[in-house]
Amino acid sequence: MHVEVLAGDDWKILQEVRLRALKDSPAAFLATGEPSWGEAEWRTYSREGAWIVTRSGDQVIGILHCIRVDDRPTDERHLESVWVDPDHRRTGVLRTMLQYLAAIEPGVRILMAWILDGNDDARAAYERLGFESTGERQPLTKPRLCVEERLRLDRQAAISDSTDS
């Protein structure tokens, strides 16, 4: 596996893998307009936060979008649009992307992720990595009626726990 951060000019890679993710798991994401976007929208989207991809050979097999939310602490990042190709799930792709994120963002202590109710596979994957529920839930009405719950990982606690065992 090879992990990298996409550059702003890599918008076509982002477009291809994001559309694959939406086709594979439409209920797992809150996509609004990506299938109809043109180059300008994809270029803008590719420059928001850090887009981390994992490749097996030339094929992108995982993607993770990491953003800083303005009203949250500076040592916290939110994970969005996380997807792993079905043929590579449960093989460490998500763990590898999170380890890469830790290497490029060493000052980030807290990772957060909103998980849609019913996305049990994603919840289980995050929980295996040490994420826990914050108890925060929010109802959404667009693009569809649903509820999501925020999960949290304190990377310092996770590191301490793994060194204790």
Side-chain angles (χ1 to χ4, degrees):
M1 279 190 277
H2 170 74
V3 185
E4 65 187 82
V5 176
L6 294 179
D9 288 338
D10 291 331
W11 66 271
K12 283 191 168 219
I13 297 168
L14 173 59
Q15 177 189 39
E16 184 273 327
V17 71
R18 178 70 175 152
L19 293 178
R20 267 180 51 217
L22 294 174
K23 184 177 180 181
D24 170 65
S25 307
F29 300 105
L30 296 175
T32 53
E34 288 100 323
S36 63
W37 284 359
E39 180 178 337
E41 290 94 347
W42 284 107
R43 281 186 181 278
T44 299
Y45 198 37
S46 70
R47 289 184 173 102
E48 296 172 359
W51 287 95
I52 297 171
V53 296
T54 301
R55 297 177 188 267
S56 177
D58 290 336
Q59 181 186 15
V60 175
I61 59 169
I63 190 164
L64 178 151
H65 188 204
C66 177
I67 63 167
R68 163 122 170 51
V69 178
D70 288 339
D71 65 345
R72 303 292 296 188
T74 59
D75 66 346
E76 178 181 296
R77 295 293 181 275
H78 266 258
L79 307 180
E80 299 181 338
S81 305
V82 177
W83 176 78
V84 174
D85 182 280
D87 293 337
H88 296 274
R89 292 181 183 156
R90 297 189 66 108
T91 64
V93 174
L94 178 56
R95 180 181 307 276
T96 299
M97 289 189 291
L98 292 176
Q99 289 169 340
Y100 185 84
L101 177 60
I104 64 170
E105 295 259 18
V108 174
R109 190 176 63 86
I110 304 294
L111 296 176
M112 306 291 266
W114 288 102
I115 303 295
L116 291 170
D117 282 0
N119 193 351
D120 298 334
D121 290 341
R123 176 181 293 280
Y126 281 110
E127 288 175 349
R128 279 192 301 276
L129 294 170
F131 282 78
E132 298 177 339
S133 173
T134 64
E136 299 169 83
R137 296 178 57 76
Q138 64 181 9
L140 304 170
T141 57
K142 293 182 182 179
R144 65 181 188 273
L145 182 62
C146 56
V147 176
E148 61 183 358
E149 182 174 0
R150 191 187 317 242
L151 302 182
R152 176 182 192 273
L153 174 69
D154 182 332
R155 288 185 2 196
Q156 289 302 104
I159 291 169
S160 297
D161 290 346
S162 66
T163 57
D164 290 344
S165 23

